[in-house]
Amino acid sequence: MKDDFYIRYKDEQTNRKMELPLEQMVKRLLALELDIVSHREALKAQAIVIRTNLVRNPHILVDRSITPMEGYRDIWGDNYDMNVERIDRAVQGTRNMLALFGGKPIDARYHILCGGSTENAEDVTDNRVTYLRRVLCDHCTGGPHWGDEKEFGMEQLEELLNIKFPDIDGDYRTEIVNFVECIEKDEHGRIRAIKIGDKRFSGRQVLELLDLNSTKFDIYPTGIRFISNGMGHGLGLCQWGANAMAEKGYSFIDILKYYYTGIDVGEVQLPSIKKPLIGKIVMIDPGHGGRDEGHKGIGLGILEKDIVLELSLGLRDNLEELGAMVRLTRDDDLFVPINERVERANSLYPDIFISIHMDYFPKSSLEGLEMFYFRRDMGSWKLGRSILDSLESRGISLRGLKEGNFYILRGINVSSLLVELGYLSNGEEELKFRDENYMKLLADGMGEGVVKYLTKSNFHSIIY
Ligand SMILES: [Zn+2]
Ligand SMILES: [Zn+2]
């Protein structure tokens, strides 16, 4: 891991976008995210959580203000030096370490206090995440937000929940409980569903509408009082529990493995300025090959299968130079059936897939490079735009980016493009593909477009 892995953020004073090396950012966020008097092992666990999330999504901070360490001088007063030292120790003591699942950084969710058990990801976010499973946590019992109370008037409830209570005479406070029914709890006391007045709510809806701290709540018959245990969504690491575990003698690794099911703590090589594509997988598909020659040039008789292979190899070298892992569906003059190409791509699960071809339109002067993206896939479209921009700045003749419904695009389950480099039915254009400089221009332009796309967006890369 190098220090040139930078995290972007917004500077509080100047309101400008800034960059900070990863480890320094971990320090600043650690000061922000966890009570500084926490146990050193809990601080270390949190440092790894923060680092893991930063590596997984380095651009997420762009619009968040981060207080520099100096900013804590007033807040910490006499303890400033000691606290800075505590943070340095936690960050340096876990330097380069990440929480990993299947070798990739996890979505390291955490919350302040779970209230007795953490949550399954699918109960909170609709996504099942293997390492975000419910675990019992008796470590945080009695912590802050344990037994938080909130009281609501009947009219207030009607307004906040948009419900209607039947008209009743007399004392609201003793009657209200009759209008709260059908409470469903899970085995750990979180409210799954509840009927209030004339409406049914999920526990999460009530939490959001009434601004409660947790779905672990009870309604007390003495009044309209919600008493909740815990704070936060309950996913992943429970900070209060982590601290209690540390005090009981558990190490930061024990803590992380307790809250994130099945993970490892380890290092991965990170992208850097020189190698921005580390961790990215690109699959290039040179069309045709072997007995399938593709189109044949009208003038010189050059073959589609040869040109697309040459270009693909050039593109591969460019991308590998920048740290990507590149796989070709063929790297030689071989016949590979199309379904096999699709299967190879789908078993590798690359970040992107690019199929390279050439076009032919008899008796016409059509020329230029054309690209097709898979319909409705924004990733494919953005990748195409990015490559088009880079080619345009190099003066390549372009026909644009269109929606295409090719078998190869339909079969591939990642963002994919089909590129037609040019027309072999156009003698003048055919000549260009004999020119090494032109081929280099194409490979460089496409490579630059891929890099821009892969380093800008983080939506495509990790799917568990
Ligand atoms: Zn807990
Ligand atoms: Zn073709």
Side-chain angles (χ1 to χ4, degrees), residues 149-183:
E149 294 188 19
K150 268 197 170 180
E151 263 191 78
F152 299 90
M154 218 162 156
E155 279 161 18
Q156 212 181 348
L157 272 187
E158 283 186 326
E159 198 190 310
L160 289 170
L161 298 176
N162 192 20
I163 52 170
K164 202 81 201 126
F165 289 115
D167 280 333
I168 33 168
D169 297 324
D171 189 2
Y172 281 173
R173 290 179 63 85
T174 53
E175 298 294 331
I176 177 66
V177 75
N178 297 330
F179 302 117
V180 177
E181 51 192 358
C182 309
I183 302 177

Side-chain angles (χ1 to χ4, degrees), residues 111-114 190 204 207 213-215 230-235:
H111 54 277
I112 293 171
L113 187 133
C114 74
R190 281 185 195 273
R204 268 214 87 69
L207 170 138
N213 288 332
S214 162
T215 46
M231 178 81 184
H233 49 54
L235 276 181

Side-chain angles (χ1 to χ4, degrees), residues 87-255:
I87 285 181
D88 283 353
R89 261 202 313 242
V91 174
Q92 266 144 35
T94 60
R95 195 174 171 78
N96 300 353
M97 290 183 200
L98 302 173
L100 304 172
F101 188 83
K104 290 184 172 181
I106 66 165
D107 179 5
R109 303 291 188 98
Y110 58 94
H111 54 277
I112 293 171
L113 187 133
C114 74
S117 75
T118 66
E119 277 279 36
N120 288 321
E122 62 269 29
D123 294 332
V124 180
T125 66
D126 294 336
N127 288 320
R128 203 186 128 81
V129 183
T130 320
Y131 49 83
L132 293 177
R133 312 311 312 150
R134 171 177 299 155
V135 296
L136 287 176
C137 173
D138 54 12
H139 307 292
C140 60
T141 316
H145 307 290
W146 195 274
D148 278 359
E149 294 188 19
K150 268 197 170 180
E151 263 191 78
F152 299 90
M154 218 162 156
E155 279 161 18
Q156 212 181 348
L157 272 187
E158 283 186 326
E159 198 190 310
L160 289 170
L161 298 176
N162 192 20
I163 52 170
K164 202 81 201 126
F165 289 115
D167 280 333
I168 33 168
D169 297 324
D171 189 2
Y172 281 173
R173 290 179 63 85
T174 53
E175 298 294 331
I176 177 66
V177 75
N178 297 330
F179 302 117
V180 177
E181 51 192 358
C182 309
I183 302 177
E184 276 172 40
K185 288 186 185 184
D186 70 12
E187 64 272 36
H188 301 295
R190 281 185 195 273
I191 304 269
R192 288 275 170 247
I194 187 170
K195 192 172 171 217
I196 306 175
D198 56 351
K199 261 195 199 157
R200 232 179 128 67
F201 297 92
S202 71
R204 268 214 87 69
Q205 284 172 319
V206 176
L207 170 138
E208 275 157 23
L209 293 167
L210 299 185
D211 197 21
L212 302 178
N213 288 332
S214 162
T215 46
K216 281 199 160 103
F217 59 77
D218 277 312
I219 292 151
Y220 281 74
T222 47
I224 318 160
R225 192 185 302 165
F226 289 78
I227 300 192
S228 59
N229 287 327
M231 178 81 184
H233 49 54
L235 276 181
L237 180 140
C238 164
Q239 288 184 320
W240 195 263
N243 194 51
M245 279 183 80
E247 271 159 12
K248 288 173 195 161
Y250 291 99
S251 75
F252 66 94
I253 292 180
D254 297 333
I255 294 168

